CSV table of all heavy atoms in Angstrom, one decimal:
chain,number,residue,atom,x,y,z
A,1,GLU,N,-1.5,8.9,-3.9
A,1,GLU,CA,-0.8,9.5,-5.1
A,1,GLU,C,0.7,9.8,-4.8
A,1,GLU,O,1.0,10.3,-3.6
A,1,GLU,CB,-1.5,10.7,-5.6
A,1,GLU,CG,-2.9,10.5,-6.2
A,1,GLU,CD,-3.5,11.8,-6.7
A,1,GLU,OE1,-3.2,12.8,-6.2
A,1,GLU,OE2,-4.4,11.7,-7.6
A,2,SER,N,1.5,9.7,-5.8
A,2,SER,CA,2.9,10.2,-5.6
A,2,SER,C,3.0,11.6,-6.1
A,2,SER,O,3.9,12.4,-5.7
A,2,SER,CB,3.9,9.3,-6.3
A,2,SER,OG,3.6,9.2,-7.7
A,3,HIS,N,2.2,12.0,-7.1
A,3,HIS,CA,2.2,13.3,-7.6
A,3,HIS,C,0.7,13.8,-7.7
A,3,HIS,O,-0.1,13.0,-8.1
A,3,HIS,CB,2.9,13.4,-9.0
A,3,HIS,CG,4.3,13.1,-9.0
A,3,HIS,ND1,4.8,11.7,-9.1
A,3,HIS,CD2,5.4,13.8,-8.8
A,3,HIS,CE1,6.1,11.7,-9.0
A,3,HIS,NE2,6.5,13.0,-8.9
A,4,PRO,N,0.5,15.1,-7.5
A,4,PRO,CA,-0.9,15.5,-7.6
A,4,PRO,C,-1.5,15.3,-8.9
A,4,PRO,O,-1.0,15.7,-10.0
A,4,PRO,CB,-0.8,17.0,-7.2
A,4,PRO,CG,0.4,17.1,-6.5
A,4,PRO,CD,1.4,16.1,-7.0
A,5,GLY,N,-2.7,14.7,-9.0
A,5,GLY,CA,-3.4,14.4,-10.2
A,5,GLY,C,-3.0,13.2,-11.0
A,5,GLY,O,-3.5,13.0,-12.1
A,6,LYS,N,-2.0,12.5,-10.5
A,6,LYS,CA,-1.5,11.4,-11.3
A,6,LYS,C,-2.3,10.1,-11.1
A,6,LYS,O,-2.3,9.2,-11.9
A,6,LYS,CB,0.0,11.1,-10.9
A,6,LYS,CG,0.7,10.1,-11.8
A,6,LYS,CD,2.2,10.0,-11.4
A,6,LYS,CE,2.9,9.0,-12.4
A,6,LYS,NZ,4.3,8.9,-12.1
A,7,GLY,N,-3.0,10.0,-10.0
A,7,GLY,CA,-3.7,8.8,-9.7
A,7,GLY,C,-3.0,8.0,-8.7
A,7,GLY,O,-1.8,8.0,-8.5
A,8,ALA,N,-3.8,7.1,-7.9
A,8,ALA,CA,-3.2,6.3,-6.9
A,8,ALA,C,-2.2,5.3,-7.4
A,8,ALA,O,-2.5,4.6,-8.4
A,8,ALA,CB,-4.3,5.6,-6.1
A,9,GLN,N,-1.1,5.2,-6.8
A,9,GLN,CA,-0.1,4.3,-7.1
A,9,GLN,C,0.4,3.5,-5.9
A,9,GLN,O,1.1,2.4,-6.1
A,9,GLN,CB,1.1,5.0,-7.8
A,9,GLN,CG,0.9,5.5,-9.1
A,9,GLN,CD,2.1,6.2,-9.8
A,9,GLN,OE1,2.6,7.2,-9.2
A,9,GLN,NE2,2.6,5.6,-10.9
A,10,TYR,N,0.2,3.9,-4.7
A,10,TYR,CA,0.7,3.2,-3.5
A,10,TYR,C,-0.5,2.8,-2.7
A,10,TYR,O,-1.6,3.4,-2.7
A,10,TYR,CB,1.5,4.2,-2.7
A,10,TYR,CG,2.9,4.4,-3.3
A,10,TYR,CD1,3.1,5.4,-4.2
A,10,TYR,CD2,4.0,3.6,-3.0
A,10,TYR,CE1,4.4,5.6,-4.8
A,10,TYR,CE2,5.2,3.8,-3.5
A,10,TYR,CZ,5.4,4.8,-4.4
A,10,TYR,OH,6.7,5.0,-4.9
A,11,ILE,N,-0.3,1.7,-1.9
A,11,ILE,CA,-1.2,1.2,-0.9
A,11,ILE,C,-2.5,0.8,-1.6
A,11,ILE,O,-3.6,1.4,-1.3
A,11,ILE,CB,-1.5,2.2,0.2
A,11,ILE,CG1,-0.2,2.9,0.6
A,11,ILE,CG2,-2.1,1.5,1.5
A,11,ILE,CD1,-0.4,4.0,1.7
A,12,ARG,N,-2.5,-0.1,-2.5
A,12,ARG,CA,-3.6,-0.5,-3.3
A,12,ARG,C,-3.9,-2.0,-3.1
A,12,ARG,O,-5.0,-2.5,-3.5
A,12,ARG,CB,-3.5,-0.3,-4.8
A,12,ARG,CG,-3.2,1.2,-5.1
A,12,ARG,CD,-3.3,1.5,-6.5
A,12,ARG,NE,-2.7,0.5,-7.4
A,12,ARG,CZ,-2.4,0.7,-8.7
A,12,ARG,NH1,-2.7,1.9,-9.2
A,12,ARG,NH2,-1.9,-0.2,-9.5
A,13,ALA,N,-3.1,-2.8,-2.4
A,13,ALA,CA,-3.3,-4.2,-2.2
A,13,ALA,C,-4.3,-4.4,-1.1
A,13,ALA,O,-4.6,-3.6,-0.3
A,13,ALA,CB,-1.9,-4.9,-1.9
A,14,ALA,N,-4.8,-5.7,-1.1
A,14,ALA,CA,-5.9,-6.0,-0.2
A,14,ALA,C,-5.4,-5.9,1.2
A,14,ALA,O,-4.3,-6.4,1.6
A,14,ALA,CB,-6.4,-7.4,-0.5
A,15,GLY,N,-6.2,-5.3,2.1
A,15,GLY,CA,-5.9,-5.2,3.5
A,15,GLY,C,-4.8,-4.3,4.0
A,15,GLY,O,-4.4,-4.3,5.1
A,16,THR,N,-4.3,-3.5,3.1
A,16,THR,CA,-3.1,-2.6,3.4
A,16,THR,C,-3.6,-1.2,3.7
A,16,THR,O,-4.7,-0.8,3.4
A,16,THR,CB,-2.1,-2.5,2.3
A,16,THR,OG1,-2.8,-2.1,1.1
A,16,THR,CG2,-1.5,-3.9,2.0
A,17,CYS,N,-2.8,-0.5,4.5
A,17,CYS,CA,-3.1,0.9,4.8
A,17,CYS,C,-1.8,1.6,5.2
A,17,CYS,O,-0.9,0.9,5.7
A,17,CYS,CB,-4.1,0.9,6.0
A,17,CYS,SG,-3.6,0.3,7.6
A,18,GLY,N,-1.8,2.9,5.1
A,18,GLY,CA,-0.7,3.7,5.5
A,18,GLY,C,-1.1,4.6,6.6
A,18,GLY,O,-2.3,4.8,6.9
A,19,VAL,N,-0.2,5.3,7.2
A,19,VAL,CA,-0.4,6.2,8.3
A,19,VAL,C,0.2,7.6,8.0
A,19,VAL,O,1.3,7.7,7.5
A,19,VAL,CB,0.2,5.7,9.6
A,19,VAL,CG1,-0.2,6.7,10.8
A,19,VAL,CG2,-0.3,4.3,9.9
A,20,LEU,N,-0.7,8.6,8.1
A,20,LEU,CA,-0.2,10.0,7.9
A,20,LEU,C,0.6,10.4,9.2
A,20,LEU,O,0.0,10.6,10.3
A,20,LEU,CB,-1.4,10.9,7.6
A,20,LEU,CG,-1.0,12.4,7.5
A,20,LEU,CD1,-0.1,12.6,6.3
A,20,LEU,CD2,-2.3,13.2,7.3
A,21,LEU,N,1.9,10.5,9.1
A,21,LEU,CA,2.7,10.8,10.3
A,21,LEU,C,2.8,12.2,10.7
A,21,LEU,O,2.5,12.6,11.8
A,21,LEU,CB,4.1,10.2,10.1
A,21,LEU,CG,4.2,8.7,9.9
A,21,LEU,CD1,5.7,8.3,9.7
A,21,LEU,CD2,3.7,8.0,11.1
A,22,ARG,N,3.1,13.1,9.7
A,22,ARG,CA,3.2,14.5,10.0
A,22,ARG,C,3.2,15.3,8.7
A,22,ARG,O,3.3,14.8,7.6
A,22,ARG,CB,4.5,14.8,10.8
A,22,ARG,CG,5.8,14.4,10.1
A,22,ARG,CD,7.0,14.6,11.0
A,22,ARG,NE,8.2,14.2,10.3
A,22,ARG,CZ,8.7,12.9,10.3
A,22,ARG,NH1,8.0,12.0,10.9
A,22,ARG,NH2,9.8,12.7,9.7
A,23,LYS,N,3.0,16.6,8.9
A,23,LYS,CA,2.9,17.5,7.8
A,23,LYS,C,3.9,18.7,8.0
A,23,LYS,O,3.9,19.3,9.1
A,23,LYS,CB,1.5,18.1,7.6
A,23,LYS,CG,0.5,17.1,7.2
A,23,LYS,CD,-0.9,17.7,7.1
A,23,LYS,CE,-1.6,17.8,8.4
A,23,LYS,NZ,-3.0,18.2,8.3
A,24,VAL,N,4.8,18.9,7.0
A,24,VAL,CA,5.9,19.8,7.2
A,24,VAL,C,6.0,20.7,6.0
A,24,VAL,O,6.3,20.1,4.8
A,24,VAL,CB,7.3,19.1,7.5
A,24,VAL,CG1,8.4,20.1,7.7
A,24,VAL,CG2,7.1,18.1,8.7
A,25,ASN,N,5.9,22.0,6.1
A,25,ASN,CA,6.1,22.9,5.0
A,25,ASN,C,5.5,22.6,3.7
A,25,ASN,O,6.1,22.5,2.6
A,25,ASN,CB,7.7,23.1,4.8
A,25,ASN,CG,8.3,23.7,6.0
A,25,ASN,OD1,7.7,24.4,6.8
A,25,ASN,ND2,9.6,23.3,6.2
A,26,GLY,N,4.2,22.3,3.7
A,26,GLY,CA,3.5,22.0,2.5
A,26,GLY,C,3.7,20.6,2.0
A,26,GLY,O,3.2,20.3,0.9
A,27,THR,N,4.3,19.7,2.8
A,27,THR,CA,4.5,18.3,2.4
A,27,THR,C,3.9,17.5,3.5
A,27,THR,O,3.7,17.9,4.6
A,27,THR,CB,6.0,18.0,2.2
A,27,THR,OG1,6.7,18.1,3.5
A,27,THR,CG2,6.6,18.9,1.2
A,28,ALA,N,3.7,16.2,3.2
A,28,ALA,CA,3.2,15.2,4.1
A,28,ALA,C,4.1,14.0,4.1
A,28,ALA,O,4.6,13.6,3.0
A,28,ALA,CB,1.8,14.8,3.8
A,29,ILE,N,4.3,13.4,5.3
A,29,ILE,CA,5.1,12.2,5.4
A,29,ILE,C,4.2,11.1,5.8
A,29,ILE,O,3.5,11.1,6.8
A,29,ILE,CB,6.3,12.4,6.4
A,29,ILE,CG1,7.2,13.6,6.0
A,29,ILE,CG2,7.0,11.1,6.6
A,29,ILE,CD1,8.3,13.9,6.9
A,30,VAL,N,4.2,10.0,5.0
A,30,VAL,CA,3.3,8.9,5.2
A,30,VAL,C,4.2,7.6,5.4
A,30,VAL,O,5.2,7.4,4.8
A,30,VAL,CB,2.5,8.7,3.9
A,30,VAL,CG1,1.5,7.5,4.1
A,30,VAL,CG2,1.7,9.9,3.6
A,31,GLN,N,3.7,6.8,6.3
A,31,GLN,CA,4.4,5.5,6.6
A,31,GLN,C,3.6,4.5,5.7
A,31,GLN,O,2.4,4.2,5.9
A,31,GLN,CB,4.3,5.1,8.0
A,31,GLN,CG,5.0,3.8,8.3
A,31,GLN,CD,4.9,3.4,9.8
A,31,GLN,OE1,4.5,4.3,10.6
A,31,GLN,NE2,5.3,2.2,10.2
A,32,LEU,N,4.4,3.8,4.8
A,32,LEU,CA,3.8,2.8,4.0
A,32,LEU,C,3.6,1.5,4.7
A,32,LEU,O,4.2,1.3,5.8
A,32,LEU,CB,4.7,2.6,2.8
A,32,LEU,CG,5.0,3.8,1.9
A,32,LEU,CD1,5.9,3.5,0.8
A,32,LEU,CD2,3.7,4.3,1.3
A,33,PRO,N,2.9,0.5,4.2
A,33,PRO,CA,2.8,-0.8,4.8
A,33,PRO,C,4.1,-1.5,5.1
A,33,PRO,O,4.2,-2.3,6.0
A,33,PRO,CB,1.9,-1.6,3.9
A,33,PRO,CG,1.1,-0.6,3.1
A,33,PRO,CD,2.0,0.6,3.0
A,34,SER,N,5.1,-1.2,4.3
A,34,SER,CA,6.4,-1.8,4.5
A,34,SER,C,7.2,-1.1,5.6
A,34,SER,O,8.4,-1.4,5.7
A,34,SER,CB,7.2,-1.7,3.2
A,34,SER,OG,7.4,-0.4,2.8
A,35,LYS,N,6.6,-0.1,6.3
A,35,LYS,CA,7.2,0.7,7.3
A,35,LYS,C,8.2,1.7,6.8
A,35,LYS,O,8.9,2.4,7.6
A,35,LYS,CB,8.0,-0.2,8.4
A,35,LYS,CG,7.2,-1.3,9.0
A,35,LYS,CD,5.9,-0.7,9.6
A,35,LYS,CE,5.1,-1.9,10.2
A,35,LYS,NZ,3.8,-1.4,10.8
A,36,ARG,N,8.3,1.9,5.5
A,36,ARG,CA,9.1,2.9,4.9
A,36,ARG,C,8.4,4.2,4.9
A,36,ARG,O,7.2,4.2,4.7
A,36,ARG,CB,9.5,2.5,3.5
A,36,ARG,CG,10.5,3.4,2.9
A,36,ARG,CD,11.0,3.0,1.5
A,36,ARG,NE,12.0,3.8,1.0
A,36,ARG,CZ,12.6,3.6,-0.2
A,36,ARG,NH1,12.2,2.6,-1.0
A,36,ARG,NH2,13.6,4.4,-0.6
A,37,HIS,N,9.1,5.3,5.1
A,37,HIS,CA,8.5,6.6,5.1
A,37,HIS,C,8.6,7.2,3.7
A,37,HIS,O,9.6,7.1,3.0
A,37,HIS,CB,9.2,7.5,6.1
A,37,HIS,CG,8.9,7.1,7.5
A,37,HIS,ND1,9.4,7.8,8.6
A,37,HIS,CD2,8.2,6.0,8.0
A,37,HIS,CE1,9.0,7.2,9.7
A,37,HIS,NE2,8.3,6.1,9.4
A,38,MET,N,7.6,7.9,3.3
A,38,MET,CA,7.5,8.6,2.0
A,38,MET,C,7.0,10.0,2.1
A,38,MET,O,6.1,10.3,2.8
A,38,MET,CB,6.6,7.8,1.0
A,38,MET,CG,6.6,8.3,-0.4
A,38,MET,SD,5.6,7.3,-1.5
A,38,MET,CE,4.0,7.7,-1.0
A,39,GLN,N,7.7,10.9,1.4
A,39,GLN,CA,7.3,12.3,1.5
A,39,GLN,C,6.7,12.8,0.2
A,39,GLN,O,7.4,12.6,-0.9
A,39,GLN,CB,8.6,13.2,1.8
A,39,GLN,CG,8.3,14.7,2.0
A,39,GLN,CD,9.5,15.5,2.3
A,39,GLN,OE1,10.6,15.1,2.0
A,39,GLN,NE2,9.3,16.6,2.9
A,40,VAL,N,5.5,13.3,0.2
A,40,VAL,CA,4.8,13.8,-1.0
A,40,VAL,C,4.3,15.2,-0.7
A,40,VAL,O,4.2,15.6,0.5
A,40,VAL,CB,3.7,12.9,-1.4
A,40,VAL,CG1,4.3,11.5,-1.9
A,40,VAL,CG2,2.7,12.7,-0.3
A,41,LEU,N,3.8,15.9,-1.7
A,41,LEU,CA,3.1,17.2,-1.5
A,41,LEU,C,1.8,17.0,-0.8
A,41,LEU,O,1.1,15.9,-0.9
A,41,LEU,CB,2.9,17.8,-2.8
A,41,LEU,CG,4.2,18.3,-3.6
A,41,LEU,CD1,3.8,18.8,-4.9
A,41,LEU,CD2,4.9,19.3,-2.8
A,42,GLU,N,1.4,18.0,0.0
A,42,GLU,CA,0.1,17.8,0.7
A,42,GLU,C,-1.1,17.9,-0.2
A,42,GLU,O,-2.2,17.7,0.3
A,42,GLU,CB,0.1,18.9,1.8
A,42,GLU,CG,0.0,20.3,1.3
A,42,GLU,CD,-0.2,21.4,2.4
A,42,GLU,OE1,-0.1,21.0,3.6
A,42,GLU,OE2,-0.4,22.5,2.0
A,43,THR,N,-0.9,18.3,-1.4
A,43,THR,CA,-2.0,18.3,-2.4
A,43,THR,C,-2.3,16.9,-3.0
A,43,THR,O,-3.3,16.8,-3.7
A,43,THR,CB,-1.8,19.3,-3.5
A,43,THR,OG1,-0.5,19.0,-4.1
A,43,THR,CG2,-1.8,20.7,-2.9
A,44,CYS,N,-1.5,15.9,-2.7
A,44,CYS,CA,-1.7,14.6,-3.2
A,44,CYS,C,-2.9,14.0,-2.5
A,44,CYS,O,-3.1,14.1,-1.3
A,44,CYS,CB,-0.5,13.7,-2.9
A,44,CYS,SG,0.9,14.1,-3.9
A,45,VAL,N,-3.8,13.3,-3.2
A,45,VAL,CA,-5.1,12.8,-2.7
A,45,VAL,C,-4.9,11.4,-2.3
A,45,VAL,O,-4.2,10.6,-2.9
A,45,VAL,CB,-6.2,12.9,-3.8
A,45,VAL,CG1,-7.5,12.4,-3.3
A,45,VAL,CG2,-6.3,14.4,-4.3
A,46,ALA,N,-5.6,11.1,-1.2
A,46,ALA,CA,-5.6,9.7,-0.6
A,46,ALA,C,-7.0,9.4,-0.1
A,46,ALA,O,-7.8,10.3,0.1
A,46,ALA,CB,-4.6,9.6,0.5
A,47,THR,N,-7.3,8.1,-0.1
A,47,THR,CA,-8.6,7.7,0.4
A,47,THR,C,-8.5,7.3,1.9
A,47,THR,O,-7.5,6.7,2.3
A,47,THR,CB,-9.1,6.4,-0.4
A,47,THR,OG1,-9.1,6.8,-1.8
A,47,THR,CG2,-10.4,6.0,0.1
């Protein structure tokens, strides 16, 4: 999710996955399949 409760919008294509890199001050930084980093709130849900 990009926002809590909005529903999954990232990393939905076949065979893709992201990596949870670190958690900072109530936020989480995730590496997308494109190697780009994304920062979201730690309350965002992921599978």
